[in-house]
Amino acid sequence: MNSNQKLLATLPKVDVILSHLESSENFSTPRRLAKIVIRRTIERERETILAGGNVPSRSLEEWLELVKRNIRKKQDPNLKRIINGTGVVVHTNLGRSILSRQCTESLTRAGGFYSNLEFDLQSGKRGSRYSLVEELICDLTGAEAAIVVNNNAAAVLLALDTLAKDREVIVSRGQLVEIGGSFRIPDVMKKSGASLVEVGATNRTHLRDYENAITPETALLLRVHTSNFRIIGFTSDVSAEEMVELAGKKNLFTMEDLGSGCLVDLSRYGFPKEPTVQEIVKAGVDVVTFSGDKLLGGPQAGIIVGCSEVIQKIKENPLNRALRIDKFTLSSLESVLREYYDTENALAKIPTLAMLTIENRELKKRALRIQRRLKKTVQAGCDFKIVSTVSRVGGGALPEYSIPSWAVELVPEKMKLSSLEKRLRDLEIPVIGRIENEHFLLDIRTVGDHEVVDLVGQLEVFFKDGEKSD
Ligand SMILES: *Cc1c(COP(=O)(O)O)cnc(C)c1O
């Protein structure tokens, strides 16, 4: 036997491990799951051996421990709660907006009980799910009509398919944006069956460019929010008002993909001026689309507002059924929209807006509180500092804008920062921070007051375990 074969021969049998596990105290894992985990654990070991890797020889006890650990891991939810110390408020990889308590309560209600999702309580007949939020959206945006779908990508697809299938859509070259995750305006356009007519230059597009490109095949003039990039320097752009005026003369529809779409003018809180949904609607654009989970601060959704004629057409498009919004989304979307009747209330209650507009000195206070508690609970292994840093909005909104913030810096005694970063991701509640110029930071903007206890608790456990394993 060569050494590989010897090692392979030491691998235990699945049934042996299983019977030992099942006779151990308090073992309640379903047999099917236990078997799968045991088989995989042994298989992984076999692969390591065959690849010439190092495997420790394990006693039966050690095998049982390893398998139990893997079973625990397997039983953990795959979609985990995490602590976001990145300072990116609308972080697409971390779930974008988090919901207010009202929103999560409506989610639970919609899930745990029957509801009037498509049932008109007045007539006792079939109702429309869209009517649950349409009036609210119209109140808040000033639009005549509205419909909601799965996300903004779906909203754009549906609107283009409805208004411009087999026809031409004119867009400025400077607005042919790619959002992360492969959403590209030209690609969505292709899928909708509309053909793209690019006008202008990358940095400058004039009204005459649109005008000269209009043919009998033109259906729509489209503006797209450039979301995640900025063209700076010698630039010019056609405003929504100008576009609407031209479209009126030529009897064409207008559309704007606003991307993030905000209902509150954040420039009053020091942010760069961005058009609100209301302003674009007021400019007379026929159909405006935006996301539910970016600056709006709600669940993943695509909101389409506009004139009744166009929204009616969209409602009748059979594609709509495939992009339909579900009852959880509708319930929490309704809740978040209700917060907007009072702007101050919206800024306080909607986590995304609250995190963006919290006073800098409040962040510093929170950071100091976290530092104090950490210094008390983590006795050795790491020092904690308070440093000023900058946060980002995220979600493609205001890409160049940095918001002054405060962070707790972790300064481990022995560990490399890359290893600290990796191991914090492995915690029961993973803690995600960012390494910046050789410093590991937890930006406190995205760590809510109610998360402080958990953050401190996780780090306490981490540094205790860390000492043991070092
Ligand atoms: C984010 C974004 C989208 C995609 O919205 P989802 O809700 O993620 O589908 C489309 N267009 C623009 C301009 C965006 O910023």
Side-chain angles (χ1 to χ4, degrees):
M1 268 210 257
N2 66 26
S3 63
N4 263 2
Q5 283 168 327
K6 261 187 231 157
L7 280 170
L8 288 174
T10 65
L11 292 177
K13 296 257 175 303
V14 174
D15 287 340
V16 174
I17 302 277
L18 184 64
S19 68
H20 274 90
L21 275 183
E22 287 188 327
S23 59
S24 65
E25 238 174 291
N26 295 330
F27 189 79
S28 58
T29 306
R31 165 173 278 202
R32 181 162 166 200
L33 190 147
K35 256 185 158 163
I36 291 171
V37 174
I38 297 167
R39 209 175 293 132
R40 293 233 170 103
T41 307
I42 298 173
E43 195 48 45
R44 222 171 294 140
E45 199 88 342
R46 188 193 317 277
E47 280 163 12
T48 314
I49 294 170
L50 289 175
N54 257 340
V55 297
S57 78
R58 290 190 171 84
S59 66
L60 178 64
E61 281 311 310
E62 285 167 336
W63 269 104
L64 292 175
E65 272 319 304
L66 177 63
V67 165
K68 277 185 194 165
R69 202 161 55 235
N70 287 345
I71 288 177
R72 273 198 300 277
K73 263 197 203 150
K74 173 111 179 157
Q75 286 178 316
D76 260 3
N78 290 333
L79 184 63
K80 289 184 175 60
R81 166 195 167 186
I82 64 137
I83 292 175
N84 176 8
T86 66
V88 180
V89 177
V90 182
H91 196 308
T92 295
N93 302 147
L94 305 183
R96 288 203 182 155
S97 285
I98 55 173
L99 301 175
S100 66
R101 214 196 57 237
Q102 275 84 354
C103 284
T104 54
E105 277 169 8
S106 43
L107 277 178
T108 316
R109 199 166 56 235
F113 298 92
Y114 290 109
S115 61
N116 60 334
L117 179 65
E118 287 191 350
F119 182 70
D120 184 335
L121 288 170
Q122 238 160 17
S123 67
K125 298 215 171 75
R126 183 179 178 155
S128 149
R129 63 178 63 212
Y130 306 110
S131 66
L132 298 170
V133 291
E134 182 167 12
E135 198 175 293
L136 273 162
I137 297 172
C138 292
D139 286 353
L140 298 170
T141 61
E144 285 175 14
I147 180 171
V148 281
V149 290
N150 181 56
N151 57 10
N152 187 34
V156 173
L157 175 69
L158 182 61
L160 289 174
D161 182 274
T162 308
L163 296 176
K165 196 178 184 66
D166 303 325
R167 312 265 318 265
E168 289 174 359
V169 178
I170 304 179
V171 194
S172 158
R173 271 206 179 86
Q175 298 175 355
L176 296 175
V177 59
E178 173 182 316
I179 322 291
S182 82
F183 174 96
R184 277 183 177 175
I185 282 293
D187 297 343
V188 177
M189 191 87 71
K190 218 177 271 165
K191 276 285 167 209
S192 74
S195 48
L196 172 72
V197 178
E198 294 174 37
V199 296
T202 306
N203 58 331
R204 285 170 76 82
T205 303
H206 308 283
L207 194 61
R208 63 172 184 274
D209 296 322
Y210 288 88
E211 199 162 1
N212 293 339
I214 293 172
T215 72
E217 288 312 305
T218 307
L220 186 67
L221 305 184
L222 170 66
R223 269 166 43 104
V224 182
H225 194 286
T226 54
S227 289
N228 48 12
F229 73 102
R230 282 281 169 280
I231 296 178
I232 54 169
F234 185 54
T235 66
S236 94
D237 214 346
V238 172
S239 71
E241 285 84 358
E242 291 171 299
M243 197 176 77
V244 167
E245 198 190 326
L246 173 64
K249 280 192 227 149
K250 306 282 179 175
N251 217 3
L252 301 170
F253 286 118
T254 52
M255 169 172 164
E256 177 137 353
D257 171 12
L258 253 185
S260 199
C262 197
L263 296 178
V264 175
D265 183 358
L266 288 174
S267 67
R268 285 195 285 142
Y269 302 87
F271 288 81
K273 174 67 188 157
E274 281 281 315
T276 60
V277 179
Q278 301 88 296
E279 284 162 1
I280 297 300
V281 168
K282 198 162 166 211
V285 176
D286 295 308
V287 51
V288 183
T289 74
F290 55 101
S291 287
D293 55 356
K294 292 185 180 173
L295 281 178
L296 189 80
Q300 178 190 306
I303 303 172
I304 310 177
V305 300
C307 62
S308 311
E309 180 198 350
V310 170
I311 299 296
Q312 190 53 37
K313 279 189 184 161
I314 291 176
K315 284 180 179 167
E316 288 163 8
N317 186 337
L319 186 58
N320 182 20
R321 180 63 173 75
L323 308 172
R324 179 163 96 165
I325 192 166
D326 71 285
K327 63 180 176 179
F328 299 107
T329 308
L330 267 173
S331 70
S332 53
L333 184 62
E334 179 186 351
S335 286
V336 74
L337 289 168
R338 286 191 184 282
E339 308 286 11
Y340 277 100
Y341 282 105
D342 176 350
T343 301
E344 290 310 312
N345 170 73
L347 291 170
K349 294 263 184 64
I350 299 171
T352 296
L353 295 180
M355 284 189 257
L356 286 173
T357 56
I358 186 172
E359 301 255 359
N360 190 275
R361 63 167 186 276
E362 292 300 319
L363 288 174
K364 186 172 189 185
K365 267 201 257 171
R366 191 189 291 163
L368 283 166
R369 202 167 73 242
I370 294 174
Q371 181 200 33
R372 206 163 47 238
R373 291 203 200 174
L374 282 170
K375 279 188 180 264
K376 216 188 293 172
T377 44
V378 179
Q379 302 289 354
C382 190
D383 191 22
F384 303 97
K385 290 189 192 160
I386 298 297
V387 293
S388 68
T389 181
V390 292
S391 321
R392 300 263 169 211
V393 178
L398 302 166
E400 289 306 309
Y401 186 62
S402 34
I403 326 166
S405 184
W406 288 92
V408 176
E409 181 185 353
L410 272 59
V411 190
E413 278 163 18
K414 289 181 244 166
M415 220 177 293
K416 272 201 195 147
L417 291 189
S418 54
S419 144
L420 173 72
E421 187 263 346
K422 184 172 182 301
R423 287 174 60 189
L424 289 177
R425 276 191 269 125
D426 217 26
L427 286 169
E428 189 186 340
I429 306 176
V431 174
I432 316 293
R434 60 168 203 259
I435 297 178
E436 215 175 79
N437 305 325
E438 306 295 307
H439 297 278
F440 183 87
L441 305 183
L442 295 174
D443 187 330
I444 291 318
R445 180 178 300 278
T446 42
V447 181
D449 271 328
H450 58 292
E451 293 180 288
V452 169
V453 173
D454 289 323
L455 173 62
V456 172
Q458 290 294 304
L459 291 179
E460 184 184 9
V461 171
F462 177 75
F463 285 105
K464 260 197 199 132
D465 288 356
E467 271 168 61
K468 262 184 265 155
S469 67
D470 273 350

